[in-house]
Amino acid sequence: MAEKVIRVDDIDGSEGDDVVKRDFEVLGRTFTIDLSDDNYKRLNGVLEALAPFIENAAEVKPAGKGRKSRAAKIKGYTNGDVREWALRQDIEVSERGKISDEVYAAFIEAHPDAKPDVS
């Protein structure tokens, strides 16, 4: 018993002897697709047209997931404690993100029991 494999073009659904699995590379990644000769020529044309744009562009990397550390630079206190104190003292401090070294220094000066976390 013989089996016949019929390849179908992944773009236009056409069948034919010229439809074969084609590999192509974009940005260092290899892809494969079943294409007829005509659609393969179209693909190569698109890749050639895109090449100068890719060559002259800078890659934008996704933002990394930052550390979610809620520990303050001060033993026995949280960043929330430092922020609350700073706001009560009319010291400008961001609601989120890094607390400046100056704010930490002022907090430590105002709280004799506060010790910098050197670990």
Side-chain angles (χ1 to χ4, degrees), residues 16-56:
D17 293 337
D18 67 334
V19 177
V20 295
K21 189 171 292 298
R22 317 277 184 154
D23 293 344
F24 64 98
E25 188 174 315
V26 176
L27 299 174
R29 295 175 56 194
T30 302
F31 299 87
T32 191
I33 190 170
D34 292 336
L35 293 176
S36 66
D37 289 341
D38 287 342
N39 280 333
Y40 187 58
K41 287 176 191 171
R42 285 180 50 210
L43 171 63
N44 284 325
V46 169
L47 294 174
E48 287 174 18
L50 191 57
F53 295 96
I54 292 173
E55 290 168 8
N56 289 293

Side-chain angles (χ1 to χ4, degrees), residues 5 32 39 45-46 51 62-63 69 71 74 84 86 92 94 100 107 117:
V5 175
T32 191
N39 280 333
V46 169
S69 173
I74 303 168
E84 287 175 23
E92 191 174 319
S94 63
S100 72
F107 184 88
D117 187 357

Side-chain angles (χ1 to χ4, degrees), residues 74 82 85-86 89 91 100-112 114:
I74 303 168
V82 175
W85 172 84
Q89 303 302 311
I91 297 172
S100 72
D101 291 338
E102 292 79 18
V103 173
Y104 281 120
F107 184 88
I108 290 169
E109 189 175 316
H111 296 81

